[in-house]
Amino acid sequence: MDSVTQAALGAVVGHSIMGRHVGRTAPLWGAALGTLPDLDVLIAFGGAVEDFTYHRGFSHSLFIQLLATPILVWLILKCHSDSHPFRKQWAIAVLAILWTHSFLDTFTVYGTQLLWPFTEHPFGISSVFIIDPFYTAPLLVGLVLAGAWGWNSEKSKKTAVIALCVSSIYLSWSLVAKIWLHQNIELALTQQVIKPRALLSTPTPFNTLLWRVVI
């Protein structure tokens, strides 16, 4: 997904876990960590094709992110020593932010190497476009409201959780839409006695109602 969406997701996840402990520090670190995996675009892999192929590679690996979590927690505690009593919560928050980033990317068509280095297979569900305001808007609204309630308040945390639930419901809807789409495509192909060698479907920009299908 786009950088704004990933930063917003990271901020909401971070706040929902750490907001009541560290206030606005949580969404700020959440936004930064939510952007971190995509910084692999700054690495030159040897050419335009290679740069495209290996984007969402090692930096999006669940295994690498797990190994990186203690280092990132150490860095956060160095910057905010007063939050040391919450180091376990920080570890949970950091891992949750990184993993939700990678899992969200799998909903797009480009694929994400979740299990690198064990496999370079790009996992991709292709049920949302890479930029979808219907997914991003609830996260941004949730952040604005959470800040309005006061970052340390319980009401602020509940607002962040609700924003996550609403955005997750939208992702669930995208899966239902894709399944329904494929059922109708398969029925149409069967009626026309067509046996496709391969089929690729992806939503058109900014929505999950109009789809493009390649057979």
Side-chain angles (χ1 to χ4, degrees):
M1 298 292 284
D2 63 284
S3 297
V4 172
T5 299
Q6 291 290 11
L9 175 60
V12 172
V13 172
H15 178 58
S16 65
I17 298 174
M18 291 297 299
R20 62 179 177 177
H21 300 303
V22 298
R24 63 181 178 182
T25 300
L28 290 175
W29 274 103
L33 293 172
T35 306
L36 183 61
D38 283 340
L39 295 183
D40 64 345
V41 297
L42 302 177
I43 302 174
F45 290 102
V49 174
E50 290 80 4
D51 291 346
F52 182 84
T53 301
Y54 292 106
H55 175 49
R56 295 185 179 178
F58 75 93
S59 66
H60 288 63
S61 165
L62 303 181
F63 177 68
I64 298 300
Q65 290 172 349
L66 180 62
L67 294 179
T69 294
I71 300 173
L72 294 171
V73 172
W74 173 84
L75 176 61
I76 292 172
L77 294 179
K78 290 289 288 185
C79 296
H80 307 282
S81 57
D82 57 327
S83 67
H84 196 272
F86 309 114
R87 60 186 181 278
K88 291 182 180 179
Q89 291 90 334
W90 269 123
I92 294 172
V94 169
L95 188 60
I97 292 166
L98 295 176
W99 277 8
T100 51
H101 177 117
S102 294
F103 281 124
L104 177 59
D105 275 346
T106 64
F107 280 82
T108 68
V109 70
Y110 297 102
T112 306
Q113 297 180 34
L114 294 177
L115 301 181
W116 188 95
F118 305 105
T119 174
E120 293 184 352
H121 175 74
F123 294 90
I125 300 173
S126 186
S127 65
V128 293
F129 189 68
I130 194 170
I131 302 174
D132 193 326
F134 292 101
Y135 176 82
T136 309
L139 299 174
L140 295 176
V141 172
L143 282 174
V144 172
L145 292 177
W149 300 132
W151 293 111
N152 295 89
S153 69
E154 187 65 24
K155 193 173 184 179
S156 180
K157 175 186 175 181
K158 290 181 179 179
T159 300
V161 172
I162 291 172
L164 282 174
C165 290
V166 172
S167 60
S168 297
I169 290 172
Y170 182 74
L171 284 182
S172 300
W173 147 252
S174 75
L175 295 176
V176 172
K178 188 178 180 75
I179 292 172
W180 180 84
L181 173 74
H182 277 241
Q183 288 176 342
N184 283 272
I185 291 173
E186 291 170 2
L187 177 60
L189 292 175
T190 299
Q191 292 174 344
Q192 298 179 56
V193 196
I194 297 175
K195 295 182 178 180
R197 184 173 298 178
L199 187 153
L200 175 67
S201 64
T202 182
T204 54
F206 318 132
N207 79 106
T208 51
L209 296 178
L210 180 63
W211 293 65
R212 177 171 53 247
V213 182
V214 180
I215 298 173

